[in-house]
Amino acid sequence: VLGLLAERPMSGYDLTKHFDESLAGAWSARHSQIYPELARLQEAGLIRVAEEGPRGRKRYTVTEAGLKEVRRWLVATEPDRTSRSEAYMRVFLLWLVEPTDAHEYLRRQAEFHDQNLTRMESQVAALGETTPAERWTRIGLEAGIRHERTLLQWTQWAMGEIRRDLARRRAIERRQAAEADRAAVRPPEPTLPPPAEDQVAPAGL
Amino acid sequence: VLGLLAERPMSGYDLTKHFDESLAGAWSARHSQIYPELARLQEAGLIRVAEEGPRGRKRYTVTEAGLKEVRRWLVATEPDRTSRSEAYMRVFLLWLVEPTDAHEYLRRQAEFHDQNLTRMESQVAALGETTPAERWTRIGLEAGIRHERTLLQWTQWAMGEIRRDLARRRAIERRQAAEADRAAVRPPEPTLPPPAEDQVAPAGL
DNA sequence: TGACGCATGTAATCCGTTACATGATTAT
DNA sequence: ATAATCATGTAACGGATTACATGCGTCA
């Protein structure tokens, strides 16, 4: 919050939107967390109300003490580098479900990464290059774009892996079925696109 | 927890290590969270004690109900896709500190990603390909490896950007200083490696 | 005049971490 | 002996989400 207010004065409402939009992918915060936090920061003398507007709007700025504090935090404390991703963790459990379900899961992941990619690319396009803050927003978004692109490519590779496994399994089942019972009627199999060659080679293989 | 126990019976201690090692990068949990959770899952009939060992060791397995539940969770619920990364978020605030500090920050990030990359690569190397769980662990680690590699490359690109900015700024300062005061003695400037050409081109540029 | 977006707050609850607390087994 | 590792638990606290709650301003 201090860092964001250092760029320009903002209200709690503005901060909330900022977390949901430009900072999505890095951090998020709800208004229910932001408003009490603003009160605490003001109490501590790190921010102050710069302007009051209509509908009770209060726009906050960092004080000198607040600016000093956020700089101290940036240079003197180590970031918590533990990362948590439910979506990523689920991948390790996909062996528990049917290949068609796993494939569907990855398809949605691909969709998600594709949307993020599009959003971030338009954010970069809409960005100036005048202030240092904009310069660093661009550098940060570059990381996000590369990240989303990489994971999008990974989902495509992984879906290909599933299709290959499935094709292999079907071939075996067909062979066995042909040997055991040529005349019996079987229920139709779930439909998935046929295995395709990858555009992207798996890393480390 | 249900998903992990589905692969093989484990104790709370085993689960804790699992979260710190093979599942690092996806999820983490401390023993203080795991033990109460195991008690709750047992109470709910989703797991049961499969074996008791020395030192009070209790090895749990999923019950049929537990297996059903984790499968239901995987196919019927949407993952929470909001991601949080303090380390990534800080990048957007690096304009607040000196370029040398920003550079140092990115250097540590590079170190971190490099370590993760090495760890994950050795994890893949130590992995069999016999069970479905191993198959999916490999697919998951592939995502982690690509992710770490991408961010490692990004840090190198970003450090290059800082060095370029710094070189540009110094050139301007030198020119101004030469014009204004040719004889005055100035303090030595902070040392950073000279700007280098990138191996990796910035995305979208 | 009614819907939508702006705008701010609080309360209950849950999830997760840190710290506290204990003890058995194994290897040096 | 004693240090390291295995092994399990609880308590206090803090951070974050969900739900509850209210009201103004603007535009169709």
Side-chain angles (χ1 to χ4, degrees), chain A residues 26 28 71 77-78 81 84-85 88 90 96 108-109 135 140 142 147 149-150 154 161 165 203, chain B residues 26 28 71 77-78 81 84-85 88 90 96 108-109 135 139-140 142 147 149-150 154 161 165 203:
Chain A
S28 73
R71 285 190 169 128
T77 69
E78 279 292 301
R81 293 193 170 91
R84 255 205 173 71
S85 165
Y88 178 33
R90 284 191 182 210
L96 285 162
R108 286 192 206 185
Q109 280 303 110
R135 177 96 180 96
E142 174 67 26
H147 170 250
R149 193 178 287 151
T150 297
W154 169 81
E161 290 291 297
D165 286 356
Chain B
S28 73
R71 285 192 169 126
T77 69
E78 279 292 302
R81 294 193 170 90
R84 256 204 172 71
S85 165
Y88 178 33
R90 284 191 183 212
L96 286 162
R108 287 193 205 185
Q109 280 302 112
R135 176 96 180 98
I139 291 175
E142 175 68 26
H147 170 251
R149 192 177 288 153
T150 296
W154 170 81
E161 291 290 298
D165 286 357

Side-chain angles (χ1 to χ4, degrees), chain A residues 27-47:
Chain A
W27 202 260
S28 73
R30 309 289 156 128
H31 76 273
S32 58
Q33 194 179 6
I34 288 169
Y35 289 115
E37 194 57 44
L38 286 171
R40 242 171 288 138
L41 290 170
Q42 189 180 19
E43 186 62 27
L46 302 177
I47 62 174

Side-chain angles (χ1 to χ4, degrees), chain B residues 38-51:
Chain B
L38 286 171
R40 242 171 289 136
L41 290 170
Q42 189 180 20
E43 186 62 26
L46 302 176
I47 62 175
R48 76 187 142 73
V49 176
E51 174 203 348

Side-chain angles (χ1 to χ4, degrees), chain B residues 93-111:
Chain B
L93 306 179
L94 285 181
W95 62 276
L96 286 162
V97 302
E98 293 298 318
T100 50
D101 290 325
H103 191 276
E104 171 62 13
Y105 179 79
L106 292 172
R107 199 191 56 73
R108 287 193 205 185
Q109 280 302 112
E111 220 171 74

Side-chain angles (χ1 to χ4, degrees), chain B residues 104-122:
Chain B
E104 171 62 13
Y105 179 79
L106 292 172
R107 199 191 56 73
R108 287 193 205 185
Q109 280 302 112
E111 220 171 74
F112 173 72
H113 291 304
D114 195 44
Q115 278 167 17
N116 283 347
L117 191 54
T118 304
R119 176 174 51 75
M120 286 177 174
E121 274 168 347
S122 68

Side-chain angles (χ1 to χ4, degrees), chain B residues 106-107 109-110 113 150-160:
Chain B
L106 292 172
R107 199 191 56 73
Q109 280 302 112
H113 291 304
T150 296
L151 290 188
L152 180 58
Q153 286 172 353
W154 170 81
T155 54
Q156 279 152 7
W157 168 79
M159 285 191 281

